[in-house]
Amino acid sequence: MVVSEYVRNLGSDHEQVVPVTMFVAVLCLCLVIGHLLEENRCVNESIIAILIGCIAGTIILLLSKGKSSHILTFNEELFFIYLLPPIIFNAGFQVKKKQFFQNFLTIMSFGVIGVFISAIIITAGSWWLFPKLGFVGLTARDYVAVGTIFSSTDTVCTLQVLHQDETPLLYSLVFGEGVVNDATTVVLFNAVQKLDISRIDSRTALHVIGDFFYLFLASTALGITAGLVTSYVLKTLTFGRHSSVREIALMILMAYLSYILAELLQLSGILTVFFCGILMSHYAWHNLSENSRITTRHLFATMSFIAETFIFLFVGMDALDIEMWRMTKLSFGTSMSIYSTLILLILLGRAAFVFPLSVLSNHMNRRAKRTSVITFKHQIIIWWAGLMRGAVSIALAFKQFTYSGVTSDPINATMIIDTIVIVLFSTLVFGFLTKPLISYLIPHHETIKIGQRESSSPREDLNTPLISLEEPTTSNITRAKDSLSMLIERPVCTIHFYWRKFDDAYMRPIFGGPVTSQSEC
């Protein structure tokens, strides 16, 4: 009896190990092919993973005689608990903080206000057009979820073509918006899930906005707290004198703990772990030993890379889910109309905020003597960079329209297929066209000039005190007016300067890190 039970469990474990082994083997294949195509910047890891996933799914579909195309079953909880945290934490840990915070207002306007504008346009457009195209059955919550799902961007393709040294402003805006966009999308999605939106009115909209800002601020505060606590512990206890393993493990576990705590408190784990990554790179990283600093940089990037490849590989396989395709009741013509409508709404939703907000950003800085304005060519690239849809869209769609990755409702199955098709189309088609578009708009010789101009832009003299006892009163009044004018015209730059003075005087002595130069904004 005991022996038979052991044999049965052994067989069950064997059945679970084989799919995992096959999936890891396919992941290794993605790495090898990605290395071979390293010089071809048109084809990035996301496109390679999706194509290999489609090929692997086709082979599995043929071997199973049309029963399945999966090696593993997707679970949105697996994504949000294990795969998403390393991706977002690494984004915060690797972010160029100086450029990020110098363009903070523009990045936040794109990443926060832009998500709201895009979500409203996609929600309203799908709510109005889907019934006219013959697709009915979605609830009010579903339509709002659709607007949120398709407002999430994936800027990997564009970032692999842009050069940070040649176009620092453009790179900073695209990268910063991509990270903030993901965080905002998840926070907005969770805020919408908590509300009864069967009757949408102005009061409901205020509830959504209020809940959003509560989640945003509380999650940010939790992430900052976790980062500061980790930095203080590492600086005070000096783990590196005895074990590099312990200090690296503490950073990983504290980052993951912040994410789990945020989820337990019904906050946004993605926003918490992002700001935790920023604080750890700003303070905690400087408290590590030299070996640990090198290790953490590569370790966090490796974990993020594996998680992203895993997701896109599954997307390629899931595109051939025969059961999901059989479940949908829409005709081919109706399905194509739905796909085309969603693509059009994504294009319009993106354009509705990129161009106006870029003009507003340029207007706010027109008197700040900033030579690096967001040109019309830059605006087109920023607009194009956010057209790709990726892992977050897939995960949110599964969370909204499935239960543990499974659904028996034709309407929900249709929405899952729509999301996968949009992700495939946008990643493959828009991704392949990214390099030619950027090469046409900004030739290589122009990017070099832009980089030189941005690096040699004039610096504001922020070291001048507001009041000097050695000068007459009229000079002090004039200087105070100039300082206040600078604060109004360049609020982020000015606040950034005074924050650095506070940081060097009070924060870094407690939490760690070198004192920075005060000579530039």
Side-chain angles (χ1 to χ4, degrees), residues 91-92 94-117 151 153 155 159 164 167-185 212 216 271 274-275 278 350 353-354 356-362 364-365 370 374 382 492:
Q94 303 288 353
V95 69
K96 302 297 182 182
K97 295 180 290 297
K98 178 181 177 181
Q99 295 178 0
F100 180 84
F101 286 104
Q102 280 183 344
N103 301 301
F104 186 74
L105 290 181
T106 304
I107 290 173
M108 294 302 292
S109 65
F110 285 162
V112 178
I113 300 176
V115 167
F116 275 90
I117 295 175
S151 294
T153 64
T155 57
L159 290 175
Q164 186 170 355
T167 55
L169 174 65
L170 186 58
Y171 188 96
S172 174
L173 293 178
V174 172
F175 176 80
E177 190 226 338
V179 175
V180 176
N181 174 280
D182 285 345
T184 304
T185 301
F212 169 82
F216 200 96
L271 200 61
F274 172 67
F275 279 96
I278 292 180
R350 182 104 186 131
F353 72 85
V354 168
L357 293 180
S358 297
V359 173
L360 179 62
S361 177
N362 289 334
M364 291 175 61
N365 291 280
R370 192 181 79 177
I374 307 176
I382 295 172
V492 175

Side-chain angles (χ1 to χ4, degrees), residues 331-351:
S331 63
F332 177 78
T334 303
S335 298
M336 292 301 297
S337 300
I338 297 296
Y339 306 149
S340 301
T341 299
L342 287 173
I343 291 292
L344 178 62
L345 291 174
I346 290 172
L347 294 171
L348 293 176
R350 182 104 186 131

Side-chain angles (χ1 to χ4, degrees), residues 57-319:
T58 302
I59 295 174
I60 297 171
L61 195 63
L62 294 175
L63 293 177
S64 64
K65 298 180 180 179
K67 294 182 179 179
S68 176
S69 64
H70 294 132
I71 297 177
L72 298 174
T73 302
F74 182 85
N75 189 333
E76 71 275 7
E77 297 300 328
L78 169 69
F79 173 83
F80 281 104
I81 295 178
Y82 300 109
L83 297 180
L84 188 60
I87 296 175
I88 302 302
F89 176 79
N90 182 66
F93 194 79
Q94 303 288 353
V95 69
K96 302 297 182 182
K97 295 180 290 297
K98 178 181 177 181
Q99 295 178 0
F100 180 84
F101 286 104
Q102 280 183 344
N103 301 301
F104 186 74
L105 290 181
T106 304
I107 290 173
M108 294 302 292
S109 65
F110 285 162
V112 178
I113 300 176
V115 167
F116 275 90
I117 295 175
S118 177
I120 290 173
I121 290 177
I122 296 175
T123 298
S126 58
W127 203 333
W128 179 52
L129 293 174
F130 279 8
K132 297 180 181 297
L133 298 174
F135 181 45
V136 295
L138 293 177
T139 64
R141 186 186 300 276
D142 290 337
Y143 280 114
V144 177
V146 167
T148 307
I149 289 168
F150 290 110
S151 294
S152 173
T153 64
D154 182 57
T155 57
V156 173
C157 294
T158 307
L159 290 175
Q160 290 187 343
V161 176
L162 290 174
H163 299 270
Q164 186 170 355
D165 295 332
E166 296 177 355
T167 55
L169 174 65
L170 186 58
Y171 188 96
S172 174
L173 293 178
V174 172
F175 176 80
E177 190 226 338
V179 175
V180 176
N181 174 280
D182 285 345
T184 304
T185 301
V186 176
V187 173
L188 181 60
F189 183 87
N190 292 335
V192 169
Q193 297 302 305
K194 297 178 182 179
L195 296 174
D196 180 14
I197 55 175
S198 56
R199 292 180 298 177
I200 297 180
D201 52 23
S202 58
R203 187 175 181 180
T204 303
L206 290 177
H207 274 295
V208 172
I209 295 174
D211 200 13
F212 169 82
F213 279 106
Y214 164 73
L215 290 174
F216 200 96
L217 295 176
S219 303
T220 301
L222 179 59
I224 292 174
T225 302
L228 292 177
V229 169
T230 306
S231 304
Y232 182 78
V233 170
L234 287 173
K235 188 175 189 301
T236 304
L237 301 182
T238 59
F239 279 68
R241 291 186 303 178
H242 305 289
S243 173
S244 296
V245 174
R246 287 194 181 98
E247 58 183 359
I248 296 174
L250 180 65
M251 286 188 68
I252 296 175
L253 293 176
M254 283 297 293
Y256 191 67
L257 178 63
S258 70
Y259 183 87
I260 296 300
L261 281 177
E263 294 297 320
L264 289 176
L265 296 174
Q266 296 184 337
L267 301 175
S268 171
I270 183 175
L271 200 61
T272 296
V273 79
F274 172 67
F275 279 96
C276 180
I278 292 180
L279 268 293
M280 283 190 180
S281 68
H282 191 63
Y283 297 116
W285 186 79
H286 298 283
N287 300 327
L288 303 177
S289 61
E290 189 65 29
N291 291 333
S292 297
R293 293 181 186 179
I294 299 173
T295 303
T296 52
R297 289 289 186 187
H298 294 291
L299 177 62
F300 297 148
T302 300
M303 294 169 61
S304 174
F305 174 77
I306 293 175
E308 287 183 348
T309 306
F310 181 99
I311 294 166
F312 282 105
L313 188 60
F314 180 86
V315 169
M317 294 182 179
D318 205 50

Side-chain angles (χ1 to χ4, degrees), residues 444-506:
H444 183 67
H445 66 277
E446 289 189 13
T447 60
I448 296 177
K449 293 179 180 179
I450 292 173
Q452 293 175 347
R453 187 170 63 249
E454 291 181 3
S455 62
S456 61
S457 58
R459 299 171 181 174
E460 296 287 349
D461 185 13
L462 294 175
N463 287 316
T464 307
L466 288 175
I467 298 177
S468 175
L469 299 178
E470 299 177 356
E471 297 185 9
T473 305
T474 55
S475 299
N476 283 326
I477 294 176
T478 303
R479 178 172 295 163
K481 289 181 178 179
D482 292 340
S483 299
L484 291 175
S485 177
M486 186 194 312
L487 178 61
I488 295 174
E489 295 179 359
R490 303 189 66 183
V492 175
C493 186
T494 309
I495 294 172
H496 181 224
F497 169 77
Y498 286 111
W499 155 251
R500 281 194 329 193
K501 293 188 66 175
F502 174 80
D503 190 29
D504 291 338
Y506 302 102

